[in-house]
Amino acid sequence: MTFASWCDKMFGLGVRVPVATFDKPTAGQISLSKLVAGKSLAEGLKASDKKNNAALKALQSDLANRTEREVPDPRSHVEIEISYWYERIRLSLNKVLLSITDINGPIFKYQGPKNYDFRDEIAKIIFTSLRDLGWLGLDNEVILRDSSDDPKVAQELSPLSHTVGDVDRGVVLIEFIIRGVQADGIAAGYMPWDFDQHPSDSEPSERFDCHVKIRAKEWDILNRDDLSNLSWFLQKLFDAWAKAGDRRSRGSLREALMLCQMLAYTAPCHSQDVAVEHCISSEEYGTDYISAGKVVERFFHITSSLRKC
């Protein structure tokens, strides 16, 4: 006999008596309403967990497909490091470019930074960049020679010569001369550990021919397009140093820095797409020298072509 049938027989149909009552919650006792709510919560959590697992499996599958489709970077270690090298210099030059102001009003009024300040900052950037190239296997040598016609009074300064190994065994990849460099303040570009090659500053009135050589132990450390772009960039960088001389137009200095920015931005080592565009246009420019107009033309050619991709 069940409890319900017993109550029906003893007290009448449908009458029930309480079996036990609790004035306060007692440990170990769970009401039926809480059991029902817990069941609903468990079902909800189970459904949510099932849904999350399905989404996770979908993401894992997509990641696996992406990994299979990824093409390994075709660039060499040197090309990747040169790409970072361009970006560091571009940011440093941009600070100098933004600080250049035109001379307005009476000359005795404050005109912002002087040409000496720009010259000093560009020298620091040049020396730092050449040191970084040296550690990548591109040895470099910078010699400043007095342009005097009299060999007896001609001076020669060697502000930087960074080599790793035996430089005489290397091949010259880049060589150029920039004339009219004002070399006062070159000591500011040195680091404390450059005590073995720390020339004193020259007189502000002196101008030098700057002879630059970049060597490497192997010809193919950089491909032809990367080497051409590096040669053009270094020439414009040293040209900016020369154009920061006293009594030189700040417009010409601004132009040289902008050309450096363009060459750094479109260097073929940055990506495969840029390298493809260089293959189209590099032959017509050569490797020794590129004019300002050709730099601008090349810059717009590459950037417009990349935008269409």
Side-chain angles (χ1 to χ4, degrees), residues 150-176:
D150 188 352
K152 294 182 180 180
V153 299
Q155 301 182 50
E156 181 173 296
L157 300 176
S158 181
L160 185 65
S161 179
H162 190 292
T163 62
V164 179
D166 188 359
V167 69
D168 294 332
R169 296 171 58 184
V171 292
V172 177
L173 301 179
I174 299 173
E175 183 175 7
F176 59 86

Side-chain angles (χ1 to χ4, degrees), residues 101 133 207 223 237 264 298:
T101 57
L133 282 181
R207 298 294 186 273
N223 61 48
L237 184 59
R298 176 177 164 277

Side-chain angles (χ1 to χ4, degrees), residues 22 24-39:
F22 301 95
K24 296 181 179 180
T26 304
Q29 302 295 326
I30 300 176
S31 65
L32 293 177
S33 61
K34 290 185 178 180
L35 289 175
V36 174
K39 182 180 179 182

